[in-house]
Amino acid sequence: MLVTINGAVSDYRTSWELQASEERYRRLIQNLPTALWQVDSRRAGEAFDALKARGVRDIASYLSRTPDLVEHAKDIVRVTDVNRDAMSLFRAQNPAELIKPVRYLFAAAPGLAERVMVAHFEGRRNLIEETRIRAFDGSIIDVLFTVTYPVPPEQLDNTFITIQDISERLNAERQLRKLQADFSHAGRIATLGELATSIAHEINQPLAAIVTNGETSLRWLARTDQNIEKVTQLTSRIVTNARRASEIIHRIRSMAAKHEPEKRLLDINEIAREALLFIRHDIDSKSITLSTTFAPGLPQVLGDRIQLQQVIINLLVNSVQAIVQSGQPTRRIDIQTSVDDGGAVGFSVFDNGPGIAATDLAHVFDSFFSTKDAGIGIGLAICQSIIGAHGGSISGANRPNGGAHFHFALPVPA
Ligand SMILES: Nc1ncnc2c1ncn2[C@@H]1O[C@H](COP(=O)(O)OP(=O)(O)OP(=O)(O)O)[C@@H](O)[C@H]1O
Ligand SMILES: [Mg+2]
């Protein structure tokens, strides 16, 4: 029998009515569009009562000290019924394959059985987890695993488990992440192309210093009054500059490389300083005055270093291009970091270019929207996709006295 009704049945309910209601219940469960398990959890309940009587309160640490108990529970707690979707999810031919101890439900989900027991012991109403199952044909499936516990005064014997296949959703999410990574990688390559002159200049500086110091040191060595101290000093300058050149190349290579986005705790001020290294020469050579206001002691954000640098570089490249195009005599870019209302970490770029035409304001983040002759129109679309993937928001606006202001905010992990 599927349902056990505890307590007295009202007199007016005949056994026939009871049977009919059970039948309806059974049909409902069989046809439910979710894989469903009915589990008799009385044995676990009894074991928990005994533990409570012995004064056990912190069940999580108790179970971690006695892993045998979890293993034992997987054998004594039994599935009592399943529906059609449950059979097809586990690739079973008939219900009997699934009506047995619950052990098989946890075959690909490390630690889940323990967490299910802890939630039960603590009297929680349910437990929901993204995890995996191993079907009987050996395939591993990503699922949403939900346990609904009996809570007095409801029926005390039955725990219900529903398992929902979420592999398609997770696959779509994976593909979306890959697409986003490919998209931003393409953008980085494009930006590096645009900044090639600036980058070449930056590498050239330490190389020029190496040549000068090397030549001077050769001249010293050719003299009759050789000065070891002088040559040592020149040689150490050569080493320092060679290191600098190699650091620059390393930075460019990581910008150009295709990498899986990797989220780490980051200081946005540091990210901004690093991003500036790419574009500093561009800003200087165009006689733009750059001012930076880095708020001290900002909380760290969780993000991909290269992608966040890319956002800042894209915003700065746009500001430089806007300013140059406007032919302003005084050219200014201001960068600010802050903690926004609500605790998010903010980053702003202000420029004194021509600003954004009112009719364009709604479109600047669209892919392939560009007002520039040589623009593709992907810079801001990439910024939006990166910031979106970081759970943040980005916006652009005109400043009251001319020029544009772009701002993004990133959530601070709890
Ligand atoms: N700082 C700014 N001042 C004025 N207009 C801007 C500014 N930043 C962006 N825009 C406007 O938004 C449009 C879209 O910018 P976006 O960076 O997406 O593309 P793009 O710079 O035109 O080309 P790409 O970045 O692909 O080389 C720009 O063409 C420009 O019209
Ligand atoms: Mg751009």
Side-chain angles (χ1 to χ4, degrees):
M1 186 160 72
L2 184 74
V3 192
T4 6
I5 307 274
N6 292 329
V9 176
S10 309
D11 292 341
Y12 65 85
R13 291 191 69 177
T14 64
S15 70
W16 182 84
E17 275 176 317
L18 194 57
Q19 222 176 335
S21 102
E22 274 180 27
E23 199 46 46
R24 271 203 301 279
Y25 173 80
R26 204 188 166 90
R27 264 207 309 276
L28 177 77
I29 284 191
Q30 276 306 319
N31 295 312
L32 215 61
T34 310
L36 184 83
W37 280 254
Q38 180 179 265
V39 173
D40 180 351
S41 50
R42 267 175 304 180
R43 298 284 297 274
E46 285 161 15
F48 289 159
D49 287 344
L51 288 177
K52 280 177 187 161
R54 277 173 40 203
V56 173
R57 293 287 170 269
D58 182 358
I59 187 71
S61 71
Y62 183 84
L63 289 179
S64 68
R65 272 180 281 124
T66 45
D68 286 356
L69 188 60
V70 181
E71 289 310 308
H72 182 57
K74 288 181 193 167
D75 291 327
I76 58 162
V77 175
R78 294 183 65 91
V79 175
T80 50
D81 203 358
V82 295
N83 69 356
R84 249 176 255 157
D85 271 27
M87 285 196 307
S88 67
L89 183 63
F90 267 82
R91 326 280 198 249
Q93 303 305 318
N94 58 67
E97 290 176 59
L98 298 174
I99 298 179
K100 59 182 182 183
V102 292
R103 174 172 291 282
Y104 70 92
L105 292 173
F106 303 103
L112 179 60
E114 201 172 315
R115 289 190 292 278
V116 169
M117 289 174 77
V118 170
H120 191 177
F121 184 92
E122 290 176 349
R124 273 188 259 155
R125 180 91 226 205
N126 49 44
L127 174 127
I128 303 174
E129 248 190 53
E130 274 188 19
T131 181
R132 287 168 164 193
I133 55 161
R134 180 184 296 135
F136 295 152
D137 64 358
S139 52
I140 302 286
I141 306 166
D142 289 307
V143 295
L144 188 69
F145 196 103
T146 308
V147 187
T148 306
Y149 299 99
V151 174
E154 292 165 22
Q155 218 215 115
L156 284 166
D157 306 345
N158 291 326
T159 293
F160 287 100
I161 295 177
T162 60
I163 304 183
Q164 195 188 337
D165 184 343
I166 54 168
S167 44
E168 250 174 55
R169 195 199 86 205
L170 292 188
N171 254 340
E173 278 174 15
R174 250 173 245 134
Q175 269 171 10
L176 207 64
R177 271 201 300 278
K178 185 173 177 308
L179 205 67
Q180 195 260 342
D182 287 351
F183 187 47
S184 52
H185 177 245
R188 286 203 298 279
I189 298 293
T191 310
L192 284 176
E194 272 174 53
L195 295 177
T197 324
S198 187
I199 290 165
H201 177 88
E202 218 200 322
I203 300 180
N204 219 19
Q205 274 184 330
L207 292 184
I210 290 169
V211 171
T212 314
N213 286 302
E215 282 170 355
T216 317
S217 134
L218 283 175
R219 274 202 299 279
W220 274 103
L221 288 170
R223 282 163 65 148
T224 41
D225 58 336
Q226 281 179 357
N227 182 338
I228 291 291
E229 211 176 302
K230 191 77 203 163
V231 174
T232 309
Q233 191 192 32
L234 289 163
T235 311
S236 79
R237 275 194 214 147
I238 291 174
V239 172
T240 310
N241 279 290
R243 286 227 172 88
R244 221 182 106 204
S246 131
E247 271 163 28
I248 296 168
I249 288 166
H250 176 75
R251 225 170 45 228
I252 295 162
R253 279 179 65 170
S254 46
M255 216 5 105
K258 205 165 187 171
H259 73 293
E260 280 282 304
E262 196 185 343
K263 297 226 164 121
R264 290 180 184 225
L265 282 172
L266 304 169
D267 174 4
I268 202 76
N269 290 340
E270 211 177 290
I271 298 288
R273 283 194 194 99
E274 268 179 38
L276 278 174
L277 293 174
F278 283 92
I279 194 173
R280 183 95 222 193
H281 173 74
D282 216 35
I283 292 175
D284 292 347
S285 70
K286 288 173 175 132
S287 313
I288 298 169
T289 311
L290 175 79
S291 75
T292 54
T293 314
F294 291 133
L298 285 178
Q300 291 190 307
V301 295
L302 199 58
D304 181 83
R305 168 178 295 273
I306 299 289
Q307 289 200 340
L308 292 179
Q309 278 180 29
Q310 185 180 3
V311 170
I312 295 175
I313 293 171
N314 284 359
L315 295 178
L316 288 169
V317 167
N318 279 350
S319 285
V320 170
Q321 289 171 343
I323 291 173
V324 169
Q325 189 199 356
S326 78
Q328 285 271 4
T330 57
R331 305 169 154 199
R332 289 190 58 86
I333 294 179
D334 298 313
I335 293 176
Q336 281 175 20
T337 56
S338 57
V339 177
D340 291 1
D341 298 341
V345 169
F347 177 92
S348 279
V349 183
F350 300 89
D351 65 53
N352 71 340
I356 306 158
T359 46
D360 294 344
L361 264 173
H363 304 292
V364 291
F365 288 99
D366 294 350
S367 296
F368 308 116
F369 175 85
S370 178
T371 55
K372 299 168 195 169
D373 292 341
I376 306 173
I378 55 164
L380 288 177
I382 288 172
C383 292
Q384 193 168 48
S385 119
I386 292 175
I387 296 298
H390 282 76
S393 60
I394 184 166
S395 59
N398 285 315
R399 303 171 70 187
N401 299 320
H405 170 204
F406 281 84
H407 177 83
F408 69 77
L410 293 169
V412 172

